[in-house]
Amino acid sequence: MLVLRRRSPVELDTLLGLAIREGPSYPEVGSTGSAVLPPGYRHDRRHRRIGDSQVFDRAATALRHWAAHEGASVHIFPHGHPVSLGATILAVISLGPAQMVAPCRIVRVIDEFDRFGFACGTLPGHPERGEEAFVVERRTDGTFFSITAFSRPADPLARLAGPIGRAIQLAITRRFVNALARTVSPACSGES
């Protein structure tokens, strides 16, 4: 939901309270964990080596504390809320004087020895419908960060934005990857 002003913390808290009571805005909850993404959506997959295998613990901790999002100027409300299954958050993006607030719920968490990640699903009020998963994985040849998503416009303004909205969506995904790479391994922070 885009508004032409910035919302106060009280207003964000009210929106969060409303979002907590809502269910996901799409039926294919958890599908970013499947090899085949659901039809009828745009599919995105981004995968990048962000350092050697030694940076995995830093990457998992950074992802757990929203470093990819914050580093991409996507602020999480409430600030400091840990990644946990079932948590509802607001992803807040400021665009000059305007602000977009996207309600999300964490619908899947992966917490294994060599893999950590989570999937955020959209809630009513989000400009898109779908899900996005963020996963860091340690392999013998390094630590990798993957983003897997399926989405389609939900908001009339998002549909109207067409290719421009899609370009913004892809740019934010690149920013997520680059932000986590910078956080864990500054030598690996070049654009991808």
Side-chain angles (χ1 to χ4, degrees), residues 62-63 66-74 134 145 175-177 179-180 183:
L63 191 59
W66 303 100
H69 291 71
E70 294 290 338
S73 298
V74 177
F134 306 86
F145 181 33
R175 288 168 53 187
F176 287 148
V177 173
L180 192 64
T183 299

Side-chain angles (χ1 to χ4, degrees), residues 98-113:
Q99 191 177 62
M100 185 189 73
V101 177
C104 302
R105 178 155 306 127
I106 299 174
V107 297
R108 188 167 60 93
V109 174
I110 303 159
D111 197 354
E112 301 167 357
F113 179 72

